[in-house]
Amino acid sequence: MARSDQRPVTVHMIAEHVGVSASAVSTVLSDRHEERRLAPATVEKIRKAVRDLGYVPNVAARRLRAQDPEVHHIELGILTSFEAPLFLVSRVLRQVQRMADARTGPGRNFSVSIAMFHAGRLREMAGLLDASRFNGVVITNTLPDDDTFLAATTLPYAVVVLGRRLPNYCCVLDTPGESGRRAAEILLGRGCRRPVVLTPALLTQSTVDRADAFCATVRSQTGAEPARIVAAGFTPTNGAEALRTHLGAGRGCDGLYAVTDGLALGAYQAIKHAGRKIPQDVAVVGVGDHEQVDFFDPPLTCVGPSNETIVELIVTQLFDLMNRRRVKPVETFVPPSLVMRASA
Amino acid sequence: MARSDQRPVTVHMIAEHVGVSASAVSTVLSDRHEERRLAPATVEKIRKAVRDLGYVPNVAARRLRAQDPEVHHIELGILTSFEAPLFLVSRVLRQVQRMADARTGPGRNFSVSIAMFHAGRLREMAGLLDASRFNGVVITNTLPDDDTFLAATTLPYAVVVLGRRLPNYCCVLDTPGESGRRAAEILLGRGCRRPVVLTPALLTQSTVDRADAFCATVRSQTGAEPARIVAAGFTPTNGAEALRTHLGAGRGCDGLYAVTDGLALGAYQAIKHAGRKIPQDVAVVGVGDHEQVDFFDPPLTCVGPSNETIVELIVTQLFDLMNRRRVKPVETFVPPSLVMRASA
DNA sequence: AAAGATTGCTAAATCGTTTTAGTGACAAGC
DNA sequence: GCTTGTCACTAAAACGATTTAGCAATCTTT
């Protein structure tokens, strides 16, 4: 890394510093000085300058130069926030890679990577606006601030948004209102009298939609507003703490809807610690955004996005956009799938 | 995407096709044709050609051009296999980002991303050898084939290897032999008579080390070789199946060491289904590579890499290498940490 | 002493894109 | 008829690296 506050050091600067040509420097940098017969003394001088000046190569320049002009290099990215769980993201990644692998040949080459932004600060991600980083991206786990930013810009490349609705973007998400409604129906259907919804403090489009639909359904069927428990974050620890507080305060709960499975996992612990049984004393419904709901104890009943379908749709749309087989943005709603397991 | 088997379409090719200059094409591509007053008819012709030829911009070229020459752009990557769990990777990522954020200023800019390779096929990752993708990387979750590949090459940039030993690389890992030994001691210390080790079929350096040390310790303390259960993969499903088979065959087990926590989670289910209690009937020890071991039921006792320490060390070393504050590769061993929870 | 080989280096082209400065052609105004 | 202005576009440089071809100078060989 260069000494601070300086212009980045380039091969030319090193060359000038040593008093040789840029070619000589490049030769040394790529360890070709033997075959190209640079004098050992020169090599040493260059090496020293490289160290002293703190040279860091410019990867964009290297890449441009190194690319075989006969082959396409296509960069795909999955953009998610640091704070969000990686389960769905890694499924998307695997699917993107699968489709990329199928299309990779002698003339075409894909790189797929995950890039993360601080929740609410997507706008700060370098290379997003000037299209200098990706040929196509899947964006997910945005907060309202990010959504506002996206809505106000048109990114000039293939973009598919996962799990939220944004005007002028291709979006794939579970049908609004459905998940929450069906979760409420499941709990009420089992005879729950005191249904509760557990949400994180920072709400995304999907979590707010689930919570609202749940509450609306409970209200319309029972006339009473369900309790809302707000956890500090998305993690099991947050969920456990929130539920512990709720139960500790003696406020009842015989049916719990967690808008993200991490919270449900935490809730499990708090419920069991309180000496209650799942599902007999408290039935729990999650959404299926955790990799291991089958291994929760008891396995978590989920009603939420059908991940397989969503991932497939999203990746297909991404490739269609890049192929220009699709040009107009579409919203695709995937009806939530219900997997009855043992928790409700 | 271009029609297959063709040279990639460039701005120049479009220009030639339409009969205008590259500048005109670029102007249209960046939607500046209004302010730069291109004739609407020309714009249309260019747009059509862009579509017809299937233009895909070259991001390397764009990036090179778009970069502000006053600022450093540093690319950091975390390289992991598709198959491996993302827990530790995401912790590394967050730590890298934290250090990067702390060093970001007007003259310096970091991009951090996760790139994945197919296990055993790291060598195929584009831009690794020619250093045209990253200024520095953390590599983890490699298989023996990948290790061989790495040992045979010197990557000309900052590389830190996580969780395995490789000659000529900076490596950070838990002290070889320790985890497995201590796991054995814990189980034997509780009086287990039939300790068992659960491993995936494809062994990485760390998993093989853990399993071997465990077996060696059991052998030396009891004279008998512990059973080895081999699961098809890393997942809870694999673990559950393997253990179900083992227990079903009537082969005993009163203490289980899982060399990766995903397997332990699966084992939990099989053990409970068999009507046994954890830890009374079967004590379980894991390694702490799962995010939510605290929320396993019962919480999983772990002896393994101290993630916090490892992540901190690895990221510090990465930045030291880039700063050239360190030049010689070092191996850093982190003694495993023991977290006693309820499973053993 | 001339021819050829070796040594040690450089100039210039190239990768694909964007931007800046500029250039004709034509119209309008005096 | 000359200036001024607008329109529609182009040439060329630049981003930072690598590589190819080539050029002097020195050393060997005959």
Side-chain angles (χ1 to χ4, degrees):
Chain A
M1 224 168 300
R3 311 277 151 270
S4 48
D5 312 322
Q6 307 265 3
R7 232 172 183 266
V9 178
T10 68
V11 167
H12 279 271
M13 291 168 64
I14 298 171
E16 204 176 343
H17 185 261
V18 178
V20 295
S21 72
S23 336
V25 176
S26 176
T27 299
V28 171
L29 284 172
S30 51
D31 258 334
R32 291 242 154 67
H33 50 278
E34 301 273 281
E35 57 184 274
R36 299 215 188 123
R37 296 180 309 212
L38 286 201
T42 315
V43 173
E44 243 346 284
K45 272 193 289 182
I46 293 175
R47 287 238 169 90
K48 182 165 179 333
V50 167
R51 277 195 307 274
D52 291 352
L53 299 182
Y55 172 69
V56 179
N58 180 316
V59 291
R62 276 215 174 140
R63 196 116 78 99
L64 177 58
R65 183 55 225 225
Q67 277 172 4
D68 180 344
E70 300 286 325
V71 338
H72 260 107
H73 293 264
I74 300 168
E75 285 283 335
L76 302 181
I78 300 166
L79 277 37
T80 181
S81 76
F82 281 106
E83 290 77 4
L86 285 178
F87 166 54
L88 191 49
V89 169
S90 71
R91 292 199 53 167
V92 173
L93 179 80
R94 278 174 250 261
Q95 177 71 14
V96 171
Q97 188 70 43
R98 205 163 352 201
M99 289 196 67
D101 284 347
R103 272 146 238 254
T104 296
R108 209 195 326 256
N109 207 303
F110 291 87
S111 303
V112 186
S113 53
I114 300 181
M116 299 204 176
F117 55 91
H118 294 282
R121 286 161 50 196
L122 175 59
R123 53 179 357 116
E124 293 173 16
M125 182 174 274
L128 254 202
L129 285 168
D130 56 7
S132 66
R133 192 144 172 221
F134 297 112
N135 295 113
V137 294
V138 175
I139 303 183
T140 189
N141 291 314
T142 51
L143 286 188
D145 276 358
D146 303 314
D147 295 340
T148 314
F149 158 67
L150 285 172
T153 24
T154 317
L155 299 181
Y157 45 95
V159 178
V160 191
V161 177
L162 171 53
R164 44 268 300 143
R165 285 174 95 162
L166 283 175
N168 299 317
Y169 285 92
C170 273
C171 307
V172 179
L173 63 159
D174 47 330
T175 316
E178 282 289 289
S179 289
R181 182 178 60 75
R182 293 186 58 186
E185 286 169 2
I186 292 167
L187 292 179
L188 297 174
R190 310 183 90 252
C192 291
R193 318 293 303 264
R194 290 157 149 269
V196 162
V197 58
L198 176 58
T199 72
L202 273 181
L203 288 162
T204 62
Q205 268 196 23
S206 19
T207 47
V208 78
D209 171 78
R210 288 173 196 150
D212 287 352
F214 179 83
C215 293
T217 307
V218 171
R219 205 183 313 120
S220 85
Q221 296 208 7
T222 69
E225 188 75 20
R228 278 187 188 238
I229 310 183
V230 179
F234 307 68
T235 67
T237 311
N238 300 139
E241 196 182 311
L243 215 75
R244 198 159 39 237
T245 311
H246 180 87
L247 296 174
R251 275 165 293 164
C253 164
D254 60 356
L256 176 73
Y257 174 45
V259 299
T260 178
D261 294 341
L263 292 179
L265 180 55
Y268 266 46
Q269 195 183 61
I271 293 169
K272 293 175 187 170
H273 277 359
R276 317 262 199 113
K277 291 218 176 306
I278 305 171
Q280 296 85 338
D281 302 327
V282 185
V284 182
V285 176
V287 298
D289 65 353
H290 189 287
E291 195 167 356
Q292 287 140 0
V293 285
D294 267 314
F295 293 88
F296 283 22
D297 184 14
L300 184 65
T301 288
C302 297
V303 52
S306 160
N307 292 323
E308 204 139 335
T309 316
I310 285 198
V311 166
E312 231 181 87
L313 280 168
I314 204 136
V315 179
T316 310
Q317 289 199 9
L318 180 67
F319 279 87
D320 281 355
L321 279 172
M322 286 196 306
N323 282 322
R324 282 164 241 260
R325 249 181 298 170
R326 163 177 312 290
V327 269
K328 299 261 111 197
V330 277
E331 279 182 340
T332 312
F333 294 137
V334 180
S337 71
L338 166 65
V339 184
M340 273 298 196
R341 298 195 185 85
S343 72
Chain B
M1 228 169 299
R3 309 282 150 267
S4 50
D5 312 321
Q6 307 263 6
R7 232 173 184 263
V9 178
T10 67
V11 167
H12 279 273
M13 291 168 63
I14 298 170
E16 203 176 344
H17 185 261
V18 178
V20 296
S21 72
S23 337
V25 176
S26 178
T27 300
V28 171
L29 285 172
S30 51
D31 259 333
R32 291 243 155 66
H33 50 278
E34 302 272 281
E35 58 185 274
R36 299 218 187 119
R37 292 179 313 207
L38 287 201
T42 314
V43 173
E44 244 345 287
K45 272 194 288 183
I46 293 175
R47 287 236 169 92
K48 182 166 179 335
V50 167
R51 277 196 308 273
D52 292 352
L53 299 181
Y55 171 70
V56 179
N58 180 317
V59 289
R62 274 215 175 142
R63 196 116 76 98
L64 177 57
R65 184 54 226 228
Q67 277 171 2
D68 179 344
E70 301 286 324
V71 338
H72 261 107
H73 292 265
I74 299 169
E75 284 284 334
L76 301 181
I78 298 165
L79 277 37
T80 182
S81 77
F82 282 108
E83 290 78 4
L86 285 177
F87 166 53
L88 190 50
V89 169
S90 69
R91 292 200 51 170
V92 173
L93 180 82
R94 278 175 251 261
Q95 178 70 13
V96 170
Q97 188 71 43
R98 203 162 354 197
M99 289 197 64
D101 285 347
R103 273 145 237 255
T104 297
R108 211 199 321 259
N109 206 302
F110 291 87
S111 304
V112 186
S113 54
I114 300 181
M116 298 204 177
F117 55 91
H118 293 284
R121 286 161 51 197
L122 174 59
R123 53 180 356 115
E124 293 171 17
M125 183 174 273
L128 253 203
L129 284 168
D130 57 5
S132 66
R133 193 147 172 217
F134 297 112
N135 294 112
V137 294
V138 175
I139 303 183
T140 191
N141 291 313
T142 52
L143 285 189
D145 277 359
D146 303 315
D147 295 339
T148 315
F149 158 68
L150 285 172
T153 23
T154 319
L155 299 182
Y157 44 96
V159 178
V160 191
V161 177
L162 171 54
R164 44 269 299 144
R165 285 173 94 162
L166 283 176
N168 301 316
Y169 285 91
C170 274
C171 306
V172 180
L173 62 160
D174 47 329
T175 316
E178 283 289 287
S179 289
R181 183 177 61 73
R182 294 186 60 185
E185 288 169 2
I186 292 168
L187 291 179
L188 297 173
R190 312 182 89 249
C192 290
R193 318 292 303 263
R194 290 157 150 269
V196 162
V197 57
L198 176 58
T199 72
L202 273 181
L203 288 161
T204 62
Q205 268 196 26
S206 21
T207 48
V208 78
D209 172 78
R210 287 172 198 151
D212 288 353
F214 180 82
C215 292
T217 307
V218 170
R219 207 184 312 120
S220 85
Q221 296 209 7
T222 70
E225 188 75 21
R228 276 185 191 240
I229 309 183
V230 179
F234 308 67
T235 66
T237 310
N238 301 137
E241 198 181 310
L243 214 76
R244 197 158 41 236
T245 311
H246 180 88
L247 295 175
R251 276 166 291 166
C253 164
D254 60 357
L256 177 74
Y257 173 45
V259 299
T260 179
D261 295 340
L263 292 179
L265 181 56
Y268 265 46
Q269 196 184 60
I271 293 169
K272 293 177 188 169
H273 278 359
R276 318 265 198 111
K277 288 218 178 309
I278 305 171
Q280 296 86 336
D281 303 325
V282 185
V284 182
V285 176
V287 298
D289 64 352
H290 189 288
E291 194 167 356
Q292 286 140 0
V293 286
D294 267 316
F295 293 89
F296 284 23
D297 185 12
L300 184 65
T301 288
C302 297
V303 52
S306 160
N307 292 322
E308 205 139 333
T309 317
I310 285 199
V311 165
E312 232 181 88
L313 280 168
I314 203 134
V315 179
T316 311
Q317 289 200 8
L318 181 67
F319 279 87
D320 282 354
L321 279 172
M322 287 197 305
N323 281 323
R324 281 165 242 260
R325 249 181 298 167
R326 166 179 306 294
V327 268
K328 300 260 108 194
V330 278
E331 280 183 339
T332 312
F333 295 137
V334 180
S337 71
L338 166 66
V339 184
M340 275 297 197
R341 297 196 185 84
S343 73

